[in-house]
Amino acid sequence: MRKLFLLLVSVVTALSGYGLTPREAFVSAPRNVITAIDSLTRLDMLDYYTSGSTVASRNAFGGDASVKSFTDESITIGTTTSSDVAISLLPAGRDTMLLVINTLALPTPDSYAVVYKSDWTKGAKKLQPVNHNDLSLWVTPESRTRMSEIENLVPFVPAIYNYSDGVLTVTNTLGRLLSADDYKAVKPYLKPAISYRWDGKKWSAVK
């Protein structure tokens, strides 16, 4: 029965993304998107979550995996004890696209996001969120006279992503990466978060 369900999900997803649900997206996601969890285990995870059970499933590495949250618009899965995958529906005219956010908690929380079409082919470059590891996105106008110092203290910019109501909020986690003194020195010159709004075709910076 479960194999039949998986087949039906694959057929529906292939035919059209219109009306696609987070459940269908989670179950049909290919292994290159959700590497550690096979499709049958994903069905078990959904069953446990909807029944209110806190029992964890086993991922491909023998660790714990579970559904953390589930709405009509998104689903968040703990793929391991230190990594999450969130799948959100992106309206795109008559179709639906998928925003997949991977977050690794250790050693410093950091996310990356990819936009896919409903058939799980990767969307065009113009559809992808901006790479947050770009210091110029974060500095404030007051930083102009301190850029050399800031660049020396910030080797890269880790950040976590949250998508809600059409807005992708990217919050830097430099406080977990830098020493207390270094973070204190650069914090006044960096934005704590940057946001982008999805308009159905592309991301636009929220001023």
Side-chain angles (χ1 to χ4, degrees):
M1 180 62 73
R2 291 196 167 194
K3 290 183 178 179
L4 176 60
F5 176 79
L6 291 174
L7 178 61
L8 290 173
V9 167
S10 299
V11 171
V12 170
T13 303
L15 289 176
S16 173
Y18 190 72
L20 184 66
T21 68
R23 176 187 177 92
E24 292 164 350
F26 173 47
V27 174
S28 67
R31 290 296 291 271
N32 65 300
V33 175
I34 302 180
T35 305
I37 311 170
D38 63 58
S39 296
L40 292 176
T41 301
R42 297 176 204 180
L43 291 174
D44 288 336
M45 292 166 63
L46 289 164
D47 288 344
Y48 291 146
Y49 183 82
T50 54
S51 67
S53 172
T54 58
V55 173
S57 298
R58 287 285 175 264
N59 62 30
F61 311 112
D64 290 346
S66 60
V67 176
K68 291 189 168 183
S69 64
F70 186 15
T71 70
D72 291 340
E73 304 299 327
S74 66
I75 185 169
T76 300
I77 308 100
T79 53
T80 71
T81 55
S82 59
S83 60
D84 292 346
V85 174
I87 302 174
S88 299
L89 307 182
L90 295 179
R94 293 180 59 82
D95 198 1
T96 297
M97 303 197 80
L98 300 161
L99 172 68
V100 179
I101 299 172
N102 285 265
T103 301
L104 184 64
L106 299 173
T108 301
D110 197 27
S111 299
Y112 70 90
V114 180
V115 173
Y116 294 91
K117 298 178 183 179
S118 57
D119 63 359
W120 287 110
T121 57
K122 188 175 180 180
K125 184 176 180 180
K126 65 180 182 180
L127 300 173
Q128 305 304 324
V130 174
N131 180 4
H132 67 262
N133 188 24
D134 178 350
L135 190 57
S136 67
L137 297 173
W138 297 93
V139 291
T140 64
E142 294 77 18
S143 68
R144 292 172 184 169
T145 60
R146 308 290 294 273
M147 280 305 298
S148 293
E149 177 186 358
I150 295 170
E151 288 172 347
N152 286 332
L153 292 176
V154 180
F156 63 94
V157 184
I160 53 174
Y161 290 17
N162 178 67
Y163 177 77
S164 179
D165 296 327
V167 176
L168 179 65
T169 301
V170 184
T171 304
N172 80 65
T173 55
L174 282 166
R176 297 279 296 275
L177 174 68
L178 305 180
S179 68
D181 288 343
D182 287 350
Y183 184 58
K184 183 178 180 180
V186 301
K187 184 179 178 181
Y189 306 103
L190 299 175
K191 303 169 187 175
I194 52 180
S195 299
Y196 299 89
R197 185 177 299 279
W198 175 256
D199 67 2
K201 297 180 179 179
K202 65 182 186 304
W203 299 99
S204 300
V206 177
K207 304 299 183 180

